[in-house]
Amino acid sequence: MAKDRLTEVLERYEAVIGLEIHTELTSLNSKMFCGCPVAFGGEPNTRVCPVCLGLPGALPVPNEAAVEATVLAGLSVECAIAPYSQFHRKQYFYPDMPKDYQISQYDLPFCGFGHVDIEVDGDGVAERIDLDAAVSANLLERDSDGYVTRIGVTRIHLEEDTGKMVHVGGSEGRISGADHSLVDFNRAGTPLMELVSEPDIRTPEEARRFAQKLRSIFLALGISDCSMEEGSMRVDGNVSVRPRGQVELGTKSEIKNMNSFKTLHDALAYEIVRQADEIDAGGRIVQETRHYDVGAKRTSALRSKEEAHDYRYFPEPDMVPFEFTPEWIEGIRARLPELPDARRDRFVRDFGLPKGDARTLAADASFADFFEEAVALTGPSLAKPLVNWALGDFSAYLNAEGISLGESRVTSAMLAELVELIGDGTISGKQGKVVFVEMTTSGDAPGAIVALRGMKQVSDSDAIEAAVDRVMAASPAEVANYRAGKTTLIGWFVGQVMREMKGQGNPGLVNEVLARKLDA
Amino acid sequence: MTVSSLSDFSQLSARAIRDGIVSGEFSAAEIASAAYSRIDALEPDIHAFNELTPQLAEEAAARIDAKVAAGELLPPLAGVPAAFKDNMNLVGTHTTCSSRILKNYQSVYDCSAVRRLLDAGALPIGKCNMDEFAFGSSTENSAFGPTRNPWDLDRVPGGSSGGSAAAVAAGMVTVSLGSDTGGSIRQPGALTGTVAMKPTYGRVSRYGIVAFASSLDQIGPFTRSVEDAAMVLNAIAGHDDMDATSVREAVPDFTVGLGDGVKGLRVGVVRDMVDLEGCAPEVRAATESALATLATLGAEVGEIDLPMSQHGLAAYYIIGPAEASSNLARFDGIRYGYRAPDAADVLDLYMRSRAEGFGAESIRRIMLGTHALSSGYYDAYYGTAQKTRTLITREFAAAFERFDVLITPTAPTVAFKIGEKAEDPLSMYLSDVYTIPLNLAGLPGISVPCAKSATTGLPIGVQIIGNHFDESTMLRVASALEAALALDMTPPLTGI
Ligand SMILES: [Zn+2]
């Protein structure tokens, strides 16, 4: 869908979006109510026990670390922490749910009434049609780069994840038409934290930024790997549109299966346009759940036979309610690490990084840690070239290999050494790129590669003067032409000197010596 | 071994068995075989068991006898034959809850209370019949047929732990475990002339007992003496990391102080309960007589009314089924248990497996509970029941400011005839009118035999109610009454 189609629609309609974000607490050692390990994949039904299989007589015991992680998440987005909270049972039958009820939270969640401030800049700013009218009280700041808006966090609660089903024999792996289905309970009972936003989001770009911001915060907290691809972070959206100026909300639809930030944006954009077109054509929006088809780039209604579920929530009798004391809550607050916004500001302040680079770096806590380890070795004077390498060739290498930071052959110390070798003129930037490629394949330190390959850049002025003298002596005609005014020949001279020096001359010094001698 | 001592096996106490093994009078293996001999003789008529576990018992007995041979110290319940209600998991057994839906279900882990009793040296003799999923007061709601009362084979043993009660009453085992959600230990205890205790909620781990109503269920013992009950409680009480509702309260030695008497103890008779219209005159008379005995022993007997507790039955029949409807949802034919053949799809599989797998009373309770939790009815039913529960708890708390223990009948009548109430659920529900309020308040209660009916000769029990985590005082009163009355509670076993 063309982008201008969305902005055209948004000129006439205001979109109202709220997100529900499920985050698996993947960094925990054990599941929500039993001692089974939390991990992704693996042989089906190997990480299970009587509790997470819901065997007769087994009882749930809450994982305190999961409760603490959820409260930590709440504090990180300015939530109030409930002094009294408890688990409820949400009841419905489904084969991936061993007890046929999910232990979740209902009217007494751990956290509520928080907010997250998001920055929108770049192309996405254009989606916010009403920016100049400033109708929203949530708009906090705007400048030439973009704007900052506040998204309310309604609540954060904790629940257990379900198992996974594999449908065999049907089309597209869906249950309808399947011959039989298999259930893998490895994921069942994984601690799942659900954050519900206020319907404060007005554009698909804001939705994307909000989800990205939460990811960066949760990464900083170290509570989840937040992988949308592997499903450890899952985003559902509630969307409605209303004609601009109308106070009454339109009918909303719920969009599922948005498993990347780009998909989140595109699915919401599609849905906004679809709803507007429907209304323009005199139709009505039906409240329903819609599935986003990434291939077809469109949403379609899920077969909704039992739309009005009665979950028969009631307080979980196998556990006692939680009563958090102010002291306990403050103890958790003391564990809050530096959050992405603060880190971004520190990177700008201490290292003079551009704000955009600083934000990109701070958004991924482990990447920011990597940068800080390296900059601690190089000193702040090399922070800018370091961040260029980190966000440039280094990120490209990780993406190309499809590996995580932990799997990288290039360590923070190695990258720091490379930047220092370039910084002190030992090698040129161009040589640095060759050395970097070598680092990624061999895993050798850059100093060793430079030594092994004899790539050391010659900055010895005597050697450069001698080479320049030899080239000038061998090229009297070119020297005469240069001195007659054809100064563009300087490039030819540089090339000759570099060849004479087998490419290892310091280009800056070579230029300097040549200019001095030719102009003499 | 002396033949004369083992011929009295059916009346041996837990302590006597351990002492006899220690002294070499008999071996644990001989005790196990004595238990099975008696079961062989009586079980066809009584049907107390769903499953016998001779191999497990032999192995456990061999371990005890090896300790004896090695001169090692024996655990407190060494060689004591024990039976477990068939809703308690034990590896090597089926755990059926007397339901068709779990008929072939094999345990893959141990119930904590069972494990603790076995670790204390008890011999696992078998798994006992019960009302399906503990729904009932007569053990007639078993998919595998009713258990008969050893005192009169035409009568029920009470329920839902009727098999556990009958096995102890008939001397087939020395102790057994039951579960009590609204009286399922105490009421069959009264109807079979056994000592039957429900500890304080949270005192004994519920891990591994197939849940009926999580906020009400509690495991407890059937024994033939108060001291044996205290010894079993010693073994099974205490915090369990696997049950978040089990408490970290200190566990005293419950046998200490059993003989201290009741002099000066404040004993309150719950007058409006004794005077309840449905209470049989002989039960009322037996209760008054027990009180008179306690007064003679030096207790300060007073009276109290507990009007809120009269609403306990109504609140219980909302909360119990509500939790049960949720706890039983997992029996859906997907992962284990009965699965209806040839289902058209998942919904059909669920509906038919459950309709065919559950018995009538289970279906009735699931429907009651599902309705009570439904949107639009929740506040009127579940909400009101929870408020009632809070009021009953407060009412008891106030009563325990005046009294150390409270006394009521355990059940309003003696054992009734098989089939007598089977078609009348409401009349059956009334069997638990005295026991239910304790579950709602989480209080401990014990039923001890206090008389035999003058007309039928059937046992009558009295319920002694203790304050939260004060089982010790409750046991002390029970022990004093037991000693003063000195009743012979050996069933006649006529007709066998
Ligand atoms: Zn598990």
Side-chain angles (χ1 to χ4, degrees):
Chain A
M1 176 189 45
K3 193 150 210 172
D4 46 3
R5 186 76 182 89
L6 174 66
T7 42
E8 183 271 314
V9 162
L10 286 174
E11 271 167 25
R12 293 179 295 121
Y13 289 96
E14 183 182 39
V16 176
I17 302 168
L19 297 185
E20 289 172 18
I21 300 184
H22 286 89
T23 309
E24 286 180 350
L25 302 177
T26 53
S27 61
L28 295 178
N29 292 325
S30 58
K31 291 185 180 180
M32 190 58 238
F33 300 112
C34 65
C36 293
V38 172
F40 178 73
E43 276 292 298
N45 297 311
T46 51
R47 290 190 303 275
V48 292
C49 73
V51 176
C52 58
L53 282 178
L55 294 187
L59 296 174
V61 176
N63 179 343
E64 283 173 26
V67 176
E68 291 171 11
T70 304
V71 169
L72 191 68
L75 292 170
S76 75
V77 295
E78 312 288 343
C79 276
I81 307 303
Y84 184 92
S85 47
Q86 73 181 147
F87 283 110
H88 273 64
R89 290 185 186 176
K90 178 181 183 179
Q91 310 192 73
Y92 60 97
F93 281 81
Y94 206 70
D96 66 5
M97 211 163 50
K99 303 183 293 294
D100 288 307
Y101 59 79
Q102 180 191 31
I103 302 176
S104 181
Q105 293 191 279
Y106 182 51
D107 55 352
L108 295 167
F110 291 137
C111 318
F113 310 103
H115 60 81
V116 170
D117 296 341
I118 57 165
E119 298 156 18
V120 180
D121 56 7
D123 293 347
V125 176
E127 292 178 10
R128 192 65 195 251
I129 304 296
D130 61 345
L131 208 49
D132 292 322
V135 289
S136 170
N138 287 16
L139 274 178
L140 302 178
E141 271 177 59
R142 72 161 300 195
D143 58 25
S144 54
D145 290 340
Y147 63 94
V148 176
T149 186
R150 175 163 289 183
I151 310 300
V153 171
T154 313
R155 58 185 282 159
I156 307 178
H157 75 247
L158 194 53
E159 59 192 29
E160 55 179 340
D161 209 345
T162 60
K164 271 184 182 165
M165 288 185 69
V166 180
H167 305 295
V168 183
S171 58
E172 303 160 27
R174 304 280 283 271
I175 193 167
S176 54
D179 173 54
H180 64 277
S181 302
L182 302 170
V183 196
D184 175 7
F185 291 106
N186 280 349
R187 195 182 70 178
T190 296
L192 194 59
M193 185 178 77
E194 180 175 346
L195 180 148
V196 180
S197 89
E198 288 291 297
D200 291 339
I201 298 166
R202 291 291 171 271
T203 71
E205 182 64 17
E206 289 179 9
R208 165 160 56 191
R209 298 283 179 140
F210 178 67
Q212 286 174 331
K213 185 63 165 283
L214 287 174
R215 178 178 187 271
S216 70
I217 292 171
F218 296 160
L219 287 176
L221 299 180
I223 58 177
S224 174
D225 61 13
C226 296
S227 165
M228 289 183 78
E229 293 73 27
E230 291 180 357
S232 60
M233 184 169 171
R234 309 197 280 269
V235 185
D236 299 332
N238 288 298
V239 200
S240 65
V241 300
R242 58 184 168 192
R244 293 219 168 256
Q246 179 181 308
V247 175
E248 192 196 342
L249 289 168
T251 303
K252 68 179 178 183
S253 58
E254 186 181 4
I255 315 298
K256 289 190 178 287
N257 195 40
M258 304 183 286
N259 46 20
S260 72
F261 291 115
K262 180 177 185 332
T263 308
L264 168 65
H265 175 277
D266 294 352
L268 293 173
Y270 174 89
E271 183 62 15
I272 290 165
V273 172
R274 184 193 71 84
Q275 290 188 13
D277 286 349
E278 188 72 38
I279 295 168
D280 286 345
R284 288 167 52 93
I285 305 301
V286 185
Q287 182 160 350
E288 64 190 354
T289 300
R290 298 178 69 87
H291 181 90
Y292 185 67
D293 184 328
V294 182
K297 291 187 163 52
R298 58 190 297 273
T299 65
S300 55
L302 286 172
R303 196 166 56 99
S304 52
K305 204 162 92 181
E306 34 199 345
E307 196 59 51
H309 254 308
D310 181 356
Y311 290 121
R312 290 175 285 117
Y313 278 101
F314 80 106
E316 168 56 272
D318 283 329
M319 279 175 270
V320 289
F322 295 83
E323 293 181 58
F324 300 140
T325 63
E327 296 73 34
W328 184 86
I329 294 169
E330 289 316 305
I332 301 292
R333 194 190 302 278
R335 283 161 41 185
L336 274 178
E338 185 182 35
L339 294 175
D341 279 1
R343 201 166 196 187
R344 172 203 63 203
D345 292 346
R346 183 166 58 80
F347 286 167
V348 171
R349 194 175 62 240
D350 292 0
F351 304 128
L353 300 185
K355 200 170 177 183
D357 284 354
R359 187 174 63 219
T360 307
L361 210 51
D364 187 324
S366 50
F367 205 78
D369 290 343
F370 181 92
F371 167 75
E372 293 217 59
E373 284 161 25
V375 85
L377 296 170
T378 64
S381 63
L382 289 177
K384 276 188 191 174
L386 198 52
V387 81
N388 288 338
W389 273 97
L391 297 178
D393 292 48
F394 182 65
S395 291
Y397 151 67
L398 295 181
N399 289 337
E401 301 275 316
I403 56 174
S404 72
L405 210 49
E407 297 163 310
S408 166
R409 281 213 183 83
V410 179
T411 65
S412 53
M414 285 159 67
L415 196 67
E417 188 185 349
L418 178 66
V419 169
E420 280 176 332
L421 286 171
I422 299 167
D424 67 15
T426 308
I427 57 171
S428 67
K430 206 170 166 185
Q431 284 176 312
K433 298 219 175 228
V434 176
V435 171
F436 182 78
V437 172
E438 177 81 25
M439 284 157 65
T440 62
T441 52
S442 70
D444 290 338
I449 295 169
V450 166
L452 193 72
R453 301 252 159 159
M455 288 171 92
K456 216 161 182 151
Q457 172 174 271
V458 177
S459 299
D460 173 359
S461 52
D462 288 349
I464 292 172
E465 299 230 1
V468 168
D469 288 346
R470 282 197 299 277
V471 168
M472 283 174 70
S475 322
E478 283 77 7
V479 171
N481 279 345
Y482 179 90
R483 288 188 171 147
K486 201 173 175 192
T487 53
T488 50
L489 273 170
I490 186 77
W492 181 84
F493 278 107
V494 170
Q496 292 302 307
V497 174
M498 291 303 269
R499 181 190 290 177
E500 180 73 22
M501 299 186 70
K502 298 191 173 64
Q504 293 175 14
N506 179 325
L509 279 176
V510 169
N511 264 297
E512 194 186 305
V513 171
L514 264 173
R516 175 159 49 77
K517 296 210 178 229
L518 286 168
D519 292 342
Chain B
M1 168 199 171
T2 61
V3 175
S4 64
S5 62
L6 270 190
S7 68
D8 297 334
F9 161 77
S10 66
Q11 292 308 313
L12 285 180
S13 70
R15 188 181 292 282
I17 288 174
R18 184 179 180 278
D19 290 348
I21 292 173
V22 169
S23 68
E25 192 181 343
F26 39 70
S27 68
E30 286 163 342
I31 288 290
S33 71
Y36 284 114
S37 299
R38 190 154 175 96
I39 289 167
D40 284 346
L42 301 180
E43 176 64 2
D45 289 304
I46 293 177
H47 185 216
F49 289 92
N50 284 346
E51 182 176 9
L52 294 169
T53 53
Q55 198 187 329
L56 294 180
E58 275 170 33
E59 288 165 9
R63 280 193 293 274
I64 298 295
D65 289 333
K67 279 183 193 286
V68 174
E72 288 175 32
L73 199 67
L74 293 186
L77 295 172
V80 174
F84 305 105
K85 191 176 183 178
D86 204 12
N87 58 356
M88 298 176 192
N89 281 281
L90 174 61
V91 173
T93 73
H94 294 84
T95 298
T96 71
C97 297
S98 288
S99 178
R100 177 172 154 80
I101 212 162
L102 284 179
K103 189 178 176 192
N104 296 312
Y105 180 78
Q106 296 181 47
S107 291
V108 298
Y109 71 99
D110 292 340
C111 171
S112 295
V114 171
R115 177 44 45 209
R116 288 181 182 194
L117 199 70
L118 297 182
D119 286 347
L123 311 179
I125 299 298
K127 305 284 286 288
C128 291
N129 196 17
M130 56 187 281
D131 284 302
E132 182 181 18
F133 288 104
F135 300 145
S137 308
S138 68
T139 318
E140 291 167 288
N141 297 330
S142 165
F144 313 130
T147 295
R148 292 169 185 275
N149 193 322
W151 289 80
D152 178 346
L153 297 178
D154 291 332
R155 294 182 188 258
V156 303
S160 63
S161 313
S164 300
V168 170
M172 298 195 271
V173 293
T174 312
V175 303
S176 67
L177 294 184
S179 65
D180 189 316
T181 307
S184 281
I185 293 174
R186 291 158 289 157
Q187 183 259 15
L191 269 51
T192 58
T194 49
V195 174
M197 170 170 44
K198 181 197 94 72
T200 311
Y201 183 81
R203 181 64 101 181
V204 178
S205 169
R206 293 182 294 114
Y207 187 72
I209 183 173
V210 182
F212 162 0
S214 312
S215 74
L216 302 165
D217 295 347
Q218 191 65 192
I219 294 175
F222 290 93
T223 57
R224 289 187 296 266
S225 74
V226 174
E227 187 190 31
D228 281 5
M231 288 173 68
V232 173
L233 186 58
N234 276 349
I236 64 175
H239 176 74
D240 178 8
D241 286 340
M242 299 303 284
D243 176 2
T245 62
S246 81
V247 299
R248 294 185 185 273
E249 198 81 18
V251 181
D253 180 344
F254 295 105
T255 62
V256 170
L258 282 181
D260 286 358
V262 294
K263 205 173 206 95
L265 280 184
R266 300 167 302 165
V267 174
V269 56
V270 185
R271 178 50 59 197
D272 53 351
M273 287 206 191
V274 177
D275 292 347
L276 208 65
E277 196 190 320
C279 186
E282 59 183 355
V283 171
R284 194 174 293 148
T287 309
E288 302 290 5
S289 169
L291 280 164
T293 303
L294 289 172
T296 311
L297 295 172
E300 295 169 16
V301 175
E303 300 205 341
I304 189 166
D305 284 341
L306 296 176
M308 272 319 296
S309 294
Q310 310 267 343
H311 301 290
L313 200 65
Y316 174 83
Y317 275 97
I318 297 297
I319 295 168
E323 293 184 13
S325 70
S326 177
N327 286 328
L328 269 59
R330 68 189 67 189
F331 306 114
D332 58 7
I334 299 286
R335 293 164 308 281
Y336 48 77
Y338 176 75
R339 175 186 287 191
D342 308 319
D345 54 26
V346 174
L347 189 62
D348 189 43
L349 176 72
Y350 284 149
M351 304 221 310
R352 282 182 35 214
S353 298
R354 289 167 67 79
E356 294 165 18
F358 286 127
E361 183 64 23
S362 299
I363 289 173
R364 183 180 293 124
R365 304 248 183 150
I366 289 168
M367 290 177 69
L368 273 173
T370 304
H371 184 67
L373 291 175
S374 296
S375 167
Y377 296 96
Y378 180 94
D379 289 340
Y381 289 119
Y382 192 78
T384 306
Q386 287 291 18
K387 281 178 199 145
T388 307
R389 183 175 189 174
T390 303
L391 292 173
I392 290 172
T393 307
R394 284 189 197 148
E395 185 176 79
F396 272 113
F400 278 106
E401 287 182 7
R402 288 178 52 201
F403 297 105
D404 299 309
V405 294
L406 300 172
I407 303 280
T408 71
T410 306
T413 66
V414 294
F416 44 92
K417 291 264 172 64
I418 289 173
E420 186 181 331
K421 298 185 179 181
E423 301 307 316
D424 183 0
L426 284 181
S427 146
M428 184 80 84
Y429 294 173
L430 274 171
S431 310
D432 293 328
V433 66
Y434 295 128
T435 46
I436 278 171
L438 280 67
N439 298 81
L440 292 170
L443 293 165
I446 188 168
S447 177
V448 285
C450 66
K452 284 190 254 190
S453 163
T455 51
T456 58
L458 292 168
I460 296 170
V462 63
Q463 175 173 246
I464 304 162
I465 308 169
N467 204 349
H468 286 111
F469 299 105
D470 188 16
E471 288 91 350
S472 293
T473 305
M474 176 183 94
L475 286 162
R476 189 172 140 199
V477 175
S479 182
L481 194 60
E482 176 186 54
L485 296 174
L487 295 167
D488 177 9
M489 277 294 153
T490 314
L493 292 170
T494 45
I496 294 180

